[in-house]
């Protein structure tokens, strides 16, 4: 688990304190050591928008792009597909995204399905629809 932060100790917007294994900056250059990238959205997007120019968010976007360019499994829910789309890696792909984020999809095609699996992209609308794609995610990770 890599924190999108400059420290491993993070606090969610809802106040829960967590300690990640490392920070996102230390994932750069190690993408080949992993089979998949999982982006758990939660309430991250408003915070991302306010801090998009911070080094850790720049690192996040670089890591997402590198994973996508390498054809790694890209797994996300809520605005995960939107973050993937911001890097341009969803071009020609169908993605499921939170309905409020649907207009932001510019490279891929946002659908109204609970989840979408298109090539190496596994996306769900929100945390309540992740279950609709989990059997396929597990099978692909085998």
């Amino acid at each position: 688990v890599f924190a999108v932060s400059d420290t491993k100790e993070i606090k969610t917007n809802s106040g829960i304190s967590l300690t990640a294994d490392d920070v996102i900056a230390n994932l750069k250059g190690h993408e080949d050591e992993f089979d998949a990238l999982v982006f758990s959205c939660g309430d991250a997007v408003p915070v991302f928008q306010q801090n998009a120019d911070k080094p850790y968010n720049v690192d996040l976007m670089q890591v997402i792009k590198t994973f996508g360019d390498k054809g790694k499994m890209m797994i996300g829910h809520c605005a995960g597909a939107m973050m993937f789309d911001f890097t341009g890696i969803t071009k020609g792909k169908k993605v499921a995204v939170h309905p409020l984020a649907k207009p932001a999809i510019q490279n891929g095609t946002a659908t109204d399905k609970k989840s979408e699996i298109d090539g190496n992209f596994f996306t769900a609308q929100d945390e309540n629809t992740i279950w609709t794609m989990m059997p396929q995610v597990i099978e692909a990770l085998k």
Side-chain angles (χ1 to χ4, degrees):
V1 176
F2 291 84
V4 181
S5 174
D6 51 9
T7 177
K8 295 190 300 184
E9 288 72 32
I10 57 174
K11 187 178 276 191
T12 68
N13 290 352
S14 52
I16 298 171
S17 294
L18 303 168
T19 301
D21 297 313
D22 210 339
V23 294
I24 194 74
N26 294 331
L27 180 55
K28 288 172 48 180
H30 297 278
E31 294 88 353
D32 287 333
E33 298 171 26
F34 299 90
D35 296 323
L37 181 139
V38 178
F39 185 86
S40 295
C41 179
D43 48 10
V45 173
V47 174
F48 174 81
Q49 182 180 9
Q50 296 165 5
N51 297 286
D53 61 341
K54 300 282 190 208
Y56 51 83
N57 280 323
V58 172
D59 291 340
L60 169 67
M61 300 312 285
Q62 290 172 348
V63 166
I64 289 173
K65 180 150 179 42
T66 300
F67 267 80
D69 287 346
K70 289 179 175 281
K72 303 281 186 166
M73 284 181 64
M74 306 298 293
I75 305 166
H77 77 283
C78 195
M82 184 176 72
M83 300 300 282
F84 300 161
D85 194 74
F86 286 165
T87 70
I89 60 173
T90 60
K91 191 166 185 73
K93 300 288 186 181
K94 291 181 185 176
V95 294
V97 63
H98 190 283
L100 295 176
K102 191 175 174 185
I105 302 300
Q106 301 294 310
N107 294 295
T109 301
T111 71
D112 292 319
K113 290 185 176 181
K114 290 180 181 180
S115 64
E116 281 287 353
I117 298 164
D118 191 349
N120 58 317
F121 288 86
F122 295 73
T123 54
Q125 279 188 338
D126 57 36
E127 65 275 10
N128 297 314
T129 62
I130 293 171
W131 67 271
T132 64
M133 68 178 185
M134 287 312 297
Q136 294 89 342
V137 169
I138 293 167
E139 185 62 31
L141 288 171
K142 287 183 181 177

